[in-house]
Amino acid sequence: MTTVRVSSAVMTHPKRLAQARELADLLRLDGLALDPDPDGPPSALRTALVAWAAADPARAGHHLVVQDDVSAPPTLLELVGRAAARFPDEALVFYTNWHARNGGAARLAALAGAAWVRAVPDEFTPSLAVCLPAGTAEEFRRFATGSAERHDDEQFSVFFRARGRMSLIAVPNVVEHIGTSSINGHAAQGIRLAVCPTAAEDAGPLLDRGRVLEDPGWIPYMRYGEGYVRLVGQERGPDGGRGHHRWTDALPATGLTEDAVRDAMSDGMPKDLAADVADRFGPEFAEELWIHCLLLGHRAAAARATLASTDEAIAPAALGDTPGGAPAAPSDDVPRDVLDRLRNAAVSTAGPAGLPPERRPEAGPDEVGLMSALAWTAVDAGERLPPGRPGRPGRPG
């Protein structure tokens, strides 16, 4: 597989200097980008500008910036270099939060059989590990210099929207967030992990040859124990699309009715599994999780059909069903078991990601297993739902 030269930097604060040095050594990154005003008001963008200024087109065609609170395999630079060779003009994102709209897009893409998905324009761009063409890195640095924004992830999205093309998100995540502390004020979000944690040996063929879901359509996601839907064209709303549509309000735009959802739940939600999840996290959460995953499965089936009808089509499945029951067609020569593991990773994080932040520490291996088992029954039921006829959405909640 072709690779390209990628320069790199770890953006860090003096409080985490030892951690950043250890990470740079492990990943063989070029150096550190220190906060130029460590005693000033918290600002990730201030440090990011230093990191992106280290890009040098004469030395490397692409530049990778990672934040200091991540873990990643020693082969990260190689994986990034191959991805940059495949998509030389794209902004590439290698970590996505499990509870964000873009996390929902990645989870949907995984179930549809894709390895890359186009980010939505109405949310921050996850910035824990981003690779830009060197020229784009310099454009971003100039664009963001002097901004009053302190969040680099928000400024990225402003920049990409202005260019008319959002980033490409790697669905398999080899980069993982570590810890819950936050210099930039995100600690209240609690445990924040990758949406599709993936071993490097699986990520390689997926990133090299996996399909791209350019248009995920409407996207189910969960936040603080409740299910929502990111609507198509939502970014054109008066608030820039930042509002949240509860699934009940968004159903007309999906083509489904609440009666159809409730009937599917009555027929397909196993009472024993639902009761086990309800015993631990409450009946409301168990119901919201099941409906969220029902919508996820329904949308994934449509996205899979879209992929299959394009030149970037996924070949028809011929090797039986995946652990969730619905076939995920192999993507060129990506091994079937690799796609299966990606799907399982996506579903395994749906439950803990959907919990309120204060309750995520309660999700140990047994709880995650129960939530995953319940989630799969909903995904399977959603993939069997007939397509509806989209109407107009309700108001954002």
Side-chain angles (χ1 to χ4, degrees):
M1 179 69 187
T2 304
T3 188
V4 297
R5 174 76 172 94
V6 179
S7 58
S8 53
V10 181
M11 51 184 285
T12 189
H13 187 279
K15 291 179 179 179
R16 293 179 175 168
L17 189 56
Q19 178 176 312
R21 284 174 173 158
E22 183 178 351
L23 180 65
D25 289 344
L26 173 67
L27 302 182
R28 302 185 305 280
L29 304 183
D30 293 333
L32 306 182
L34 283 167
D35 186 338
D37 184 15
D39 297 322
S43 172
L45 181 59
R46 184 174 61 222
T47 308
L49 291 175
V50 177
W52 291 109
D56 181 0
R59 187 166 59 92
H62 292 75
H63 191 62
L64 169 71
V65 172
V66 301
Q67 297 187 12
D68 56 15
D69 54 346
V70 304
S71 64
T75 55
L76 177 65
L77 268 180
E78 179 186 353
L79 291 170
V80 171
R82 298 206 310 256
R86 180 182 179 187
F87 303 109
D89 301 321
E90 297 280 7
L92 303 177
V93 170
F94 292 90
Y95 167 88
T96 308
N97 293 323
W98 63 1
H99 63 287
R101 297 179 200 185
N102 279 317
R107 188 174 285 115
L108 169 64
L111 288 173
W116 295 90
V117 64
R118 186 68 61 184
V120 302
D122 43 275
E123 187 180 65
F124 66 90
T125 298
S127 58
L128 267 65
V130 177
C131 180
L132 298 180
T136 306
E138 174 58 20
E139 289 179 32
F140 174 70
R141 188 193 65 79
R142 291 198 304 266
F143 179 87
T145 296
S147 171
E149 177 61 64
R150 65 188 183 94
H151 299 289
D152 62 331
D153 51 9
E154 295 285 1
Q155 193 66 18
F156 266 135
S157 288
V158 175
F159 174 67
F160 294 139
R161 284 195 298 269
R163 290 166 59 91
R165 191 170 184 82
M166 302 306 290
S167 62
L168 263 187
I169 291 175
V171 176
N173 294 151
V174 295
V175 175
E176 183 61 279
H177 182 252
I178 58 174
T180 57
S181 64
S182 174
I183 291 173
N184 212 40
H186 296 309
Q189 296 180 21
I191 298 170
R192 320 181 284 287
L193 297 178
V195 63
C196 295
T198 305
E201 53 269 28
D202 279 356
L206 287 163
L207 299 178
D208 291 348
R209 304 185 295 277
R211 298 303 187 186
V212 180
L213 183 59
E214 280 285 353
D215 181 10
W218 56 270
I219 302 168
Y221 64 102
M222 281 192 78
R223 62 193 306 270
Y224 305 107
E226 294 182 329
Y228 294 83
V229 170
R230 188 267 171 188
L231 298 172
V232 175
Q234 184 168 320
E235 71 277 9
R236 295 191 290 272
D239 63 350
R242 300 308 289 261
H244 298 281
H245 296 262
R246 286 284 277 130
W247 68 266
T248 47
D249 298 325
L251 277 181
T254 72
L256 297 173
T257 65
E258 189 164 353
D259 284 346
V261 169
R262 299 291 181 188
D263 287 346
M265 184 170 63
S266 177
D267 293 339
M269 186 169 75
K271 292 182 172 57
D272 54 346
L273 273 176
D276 286 340
V277 173
D279 284 345
R280 288 161 172 81
F281 301 111
E284 294 83 4
F285 174 78
E287 180 176 304
E288 287 287 312
L289 175 63
W290 201 90
I291 292 172
H292 163 66
C293 291
L294 176 85
L295 298 177
L296 184 64
H298 181 66
R299 182 63 206 141
R304 187 182 306 120
T306 298
L307 285 169
S309 67
T310 65
D311 290 339
E312 286 283 309
I314 298 173
L319 300 178
D321 289 345
T322 63
S331 176
D332 285 348
D333 54 347
V334 176
R336 178 56 176 268
D337 59 336
V338 171
L339 289 168
D340 288 348
R341 285 193 288 273
L342 184 67
R343 281 166 57 85
N344 281 325
V347 173
S348 73
T349 65
L355 288 167
E358 68 274 11
R359 302 211 62 184
R360 288 179 196 151
E362 301 173 37
D366 290 344
E367 288 75 18
V368 171
L370 282 172
M371 288 187 286
S372 296
L374 181 66
W376 268 122
T377 68
V379 170
D380 291 347
E383 290 184 319
R384 292 193 298 268
L385 280 176
R389 184 175 180 177
R392 298 182 63 182
R395 297 176 62 86

